[in-house]
Amino acid sequence: MSDPAARNRIRWRCRRGMLELDAWLARFLDRHLDALGADDLLCFEALLDAEDDDLYGWMTGREDAPARFQALVATIKSTKVSP
C-alpha cells in the first residue's frame, strides 16, 4: 500500500482497547499490509469493524470467527514476533 494516509488510517484502526489485540493487529499489519490484495484488504478492514470482545474471542480460539474471517484470523494468529 503506497498511500500514506490510508496506511495511517488502517494503523489507527488497529489500536484497540486491549493490549493483546493491539499487538496481534499491529504485528500483522507490519508484516503483511504491503502484500495484501484489494479483497484481502477489504476483509481486514471489515474485521477491524468487529467489537474488541469478538476479536479477542476469535484470536484466542474461545469462539470461532465468522467464515469470511477464518483464514485472516489464522494468519494474524500465526504472525510471529521478530527475534
Side-chain angles (χ1 to χ4, degrees):
M1 169 176 288
S2 61
D3 180 8
R7 180 181 292 272
N8 288 336
R9 179 181 50 80
I10 292 170
R11 181 164 302 284
W12 181 254
R13 292 189 64 210
C14 286
R15 305 244 355 207
R16 309 305 286 211
M18 293 182 195
L19 183 59
E20 295 89 346
L21 290 177
D22 287 354
W24 271 312
L25 295 172
R27 185 173 58 230
F28 171 80
L29 192 67
D30 290 342
R31 297 275 173 85
H32 298 284
L33 180 62
D34 291 330
L36 290 179
D39 290 340
D40 292 331
L41 184 57
L42 287 173
C43 184
F44 183 63
E45 290 194 84
L47 180 87
L48 294 177
D49 289 335
E51 297 292 327
D52 286 357
D53 290 339
D54 292 333
L55 280 173
Y56 188 76
W58 303 339
M59 295 299 174
T60 59
R62 202 175 45 182
E63 300 172 24
D64 289 332
R68 70 182 186 145
F69 296 136
Q70 286 181 354
L72 180 57
V73 167
T75 301
I76 293 169
K77 287 169 50 173
S78 70
T79 303
K80 304 287 187 241
V81 176
S82 298

